[in-house]
Amino acid sequence: MQINEAKVIWIGIGLWAAAFLILLPFRKTLIADGHGWWLYTPLAGAGLGMLGLPMVGRRKAVIHRETEHGRQTGHEEGGRERKGKARDGGRDQERDAGRDSGRDAGRDGGRDDGRDKGRGRGRGRR
């Protein structure tokens, strides 16, 4: 799902600013009742939103750069793969499939995977 993160942050900043403006006329009452921090919470929320905006911009730039890099790399590798497959008629795929299945089959061979296979049950309960 693609969303405009900057727009969401701007909406949040606006809501925090509105909360601050709504609480501002009640400043003296809030302080007298010991709730003066309520006034500063919306300021902190808006400030953190302002700090988040540049981070979202940098994140988008990195994603865009990586996507472009991936497209360029994918085209180059895709071209090489097609040429290689045409030359050997798919023999590399068969050879790789056999190699992978042998590797996977022996992977768990003599290794204990940490399961208790019926041995030692009940220890420490006596």
Side-chain angles (χ1 to χ4, degrees):
M1 180 169 78
Q2 293 181 353
I3 61 170
N4 186 351
E5 296 95 352
K7 187 176 187 179
V8 172
I9 292 175
W10 276 113
I11 290 170
I13 291 170
L15 291 172
W16 281 119
F20 174 75
L21 293 175
I22 290 169
L23 290 173
L24 194 57
F26 303 105
R27 181 175 177 258
K28 290 182 183 177
T29 307
L30 289 170
I31 291 172
D33 290 341
H35 299 294
W37 61 272
W38 286 14
L39 191 61
Y40 300 107
T41 301
L43 286 178
L48 289 172
M50 292 291 210
L51 289 174
L53 281 171
M55 292 179 194
V56 169
R58 284 193 300 261
R59 179 180 170 271
K60 277 190 171 183
V62 168
I63 289 172
H64 180 70
R65 184 173 57 238
E66 292 297 319
T67 303
E68 290 298 317
H69 178 71
R71 285 183 190 152
Q72 292 170 357
T73 305
H75 289 303
E76 291 171 5
E77 289 175 359
R80 280 190 228 127
E81 285 179 13
R82 272 187 238 116
K83 290 176 187 172
K85 287 179 185 175
R87 235 179 315 164
D88 67 0
R91 282 177 274 159
D92 284 341
Q93 286 180 341
E94 293 171 12
R95 187 171 47 235
D96 289 342
R99 190 180 318 141
D100 289 341
S101 64
R103 206 179 297 146
D104 290 340
R107 185 169 283 164
D108 295 8
R111 214 175 355 156
D112 181 19
D113 59 359
R115 286 189 222 146
D116 186 15
K117 298 175 183 161
R119 293 169 287 190
R121 284 189 183 161
R123 278 191 206 163
R125 294 184 183 172
R126 295 179 192 168

